[in-house]
């Protein structure tokens, strides 16, 4: 069974491209590989992929620019591969529209798991907006703007609600401090990281089983936060 119709792998190193393409053979029906940004953009225009794997070190274009240009053409998840490990670069890429970031050298099983997580998220939330989201026994009703754990209502402030709504709508996606700050307050000013830390702490006290060891809202150090869906979580299709 394949999880996606097609995946595009953009990587100029032929050996790595072949390894990545063959690792994804069971994931998508078609896995295409290209070596340059210009071939990638042409390929995306001709045949929109269900997911893009983007190597940042391409011979013909800057990685961040390529990411932005792909995002303009396609809503498909973008998983970035990079030889660099700087948090600042990761933040810039997530802000440019990437969905996940895998540093080289990477373990192939972990890479495939990250790709599958992005495809699950895209399939779950890509077509139309669900009314309710479930993270384990936490249920978030997007229309009523309420959250409940095991049937017990949880009272959230508007800022906490906005943070939870944005994070929970895309489990597995890391949001940068700036992206979350913008989602919660609608603008960007001051020290986003510090403001967020305070509100995330309050939110965790309300929704986590153990706020000191959060399982639902996970910190990505120096980058931001992401929501982890427990295995039983997902899209509640019917009330
Ligand atoms: Ca490269």
């Amino acid at each position: 069974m394949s999880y996606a119709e097609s995946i595009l792998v953009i990587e100029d190193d032929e050996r790595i491209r072949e390894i990545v393409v063959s690792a994804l053979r069971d994931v998508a029906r078609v896995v295409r590989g290209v070596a340059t940004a210009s071939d990638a953009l042409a390929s995306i225009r001709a045949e929109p992929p269900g997911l893009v794997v983007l190597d940042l070190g391409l011979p013909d274009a800057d990685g961040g620019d390529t990411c932005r240009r792909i995002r303009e053409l396609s809503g498909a998840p973008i998983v970035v591969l990079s030889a660099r490990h700087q948090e600042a670069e990761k933040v810039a890429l997530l802000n440019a529209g990437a969905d996940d970031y895998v540093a080289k050298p990477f373990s192939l099983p972990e890479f495939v798991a990250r790709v599958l997580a992005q495809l699950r998220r895209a399939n779950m939330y890509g077509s139309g907006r669900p009314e309710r989201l479930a993270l384990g026994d936490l249920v978030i009703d997007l229309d009523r703007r309420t959250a409940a754990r095991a049937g017990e209502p949880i009272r959230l402030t508007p800022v906490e609600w906005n943070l939870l709504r944005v994070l929970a709508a895309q489990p597995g996606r890391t949001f940068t401090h700036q992206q979350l700050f913008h989602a919660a307050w609608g603008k960007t000013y001051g020290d986003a990281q510090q403001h967020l830390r305070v509100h995330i702490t309050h939110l965790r006290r309300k929704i986590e089983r153990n706020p000191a060891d959060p399982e639902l809202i996970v910190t990505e150090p120096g980058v931001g936060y992401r929501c982890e869906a427990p295995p039983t979580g997902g899209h509640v299709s019917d009330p």
Side-chain angles (χ1 to χ4, degrees):
M1 180 201 142
S2 30
Y3 298 83
E5 178 59 22
S6 73
I7 290 179
L8 178 65
V9 176
I10 311 162
E11 165 66 83
D12 60 317
D13 183 314
E14 194 181 341
R15 192 183 61 87
I16 298 176
R17 187 173 67 242
E18 279 172 7
I19 291 171
V20 169
V21 166
S22 82
L24 296 175
R25 282 257 153 74
D26 293 335
V27 173
R29 202 179 62 80
V30 180
V31 185
R32 284 174 287 154
V34 295
T36 63
S38 58
D39 282 353
L41 295 171
S43 171
I44 291 167
R45 282 193 195 94
E47 215 180 317
L51 182 137
V52 175
V53 177
L54 170 66
D55 169 47
L56 280 191
L58 292 173
D60 62 332
D62 171 74
D65 286 347
T66 308
C67 188
R68 246 183 303 279
R69 294 184 66 188
I70 293 170
R71 186 46 78 230
E72 285 165 12
L73 292 174
S74 166
I78 302 172
V79 177
V80 164
L81 294 177
S82 171
R84 288 158 283 187
H85 294 258
Q86 281 140 17
E87 283 166 0
E89 186 194 60
K90 186 168 179 179
V91 170
L93 280 161
L94 294 171
N95 281 336
D99 295 276
D100 200 2
Y101 181 105
V102 179
K104 293 176 184 175
F106 52 88
S107 109
L108 222 40
E110 195 208 325
F111 167 72
V112 172
R114 304 267 283 263
V115 165
L116 285 174
Q118 291 302 324
L119 286 172
R120 264 198 301 276
R121 181 174 71 67
N123 290 339
M124 244 189 265
Y125 303 106
S127 54
R129 177 174 154 278
E131 288 166 11
R132 299 205 299 169
L133 304 168
L135 299 168
D137 60 359
L138 180 71
V139 174
I140 301 161
D141 188 321
L142 294 171
D143 286 335
R144 295 196 181 125
R145 296 174 66 90
T146 59
R149 159 151 264 161
E152 280 293 306
I154 297 170
R155 292 178 66 87
L156 299 172
T157 66
V159 165
E160 290 159 6
W161 168 259
N162 281 336
L163 291 172
L164 178 63
R165 177 181 58 82
V166 169
L167 287 162
Q170 299 190 47
R173 170 168 173 190
T174 299
F175 288 86
T176 64
H177 297 117
Q178 291 296 334
Q179 286 172 330
L180 285 171
F181 198 70
H182 199 266
W185 285 275
K187 53 188 165 186
T188 323
Y189 61 86
D191 185 349
Q193 201 163 331
Q194 184 53 35
H195 273 82
L196 274 171
R197 195 175 297 134
V198 171
H199 290 275
I200 292 281
T201 301
H202 291 161
L203 180 58
R204 280 172 171 159
R205 275 191 207 132
K206 295 180 182 180
I207 67 166
E208 296 280 358
R209 283 179 196 287
N210 176 5
D213 181 22
E215 292 177 322
L216 295 176
I217 296 182
V218 176
T219 302
E220 183 85 26
V223 177
Y225 298 92
R226 72 172 180 276
C227 180
E228 290 280 334
T232 51
H235 174 181
V236 180
S237 51
D238 237 15

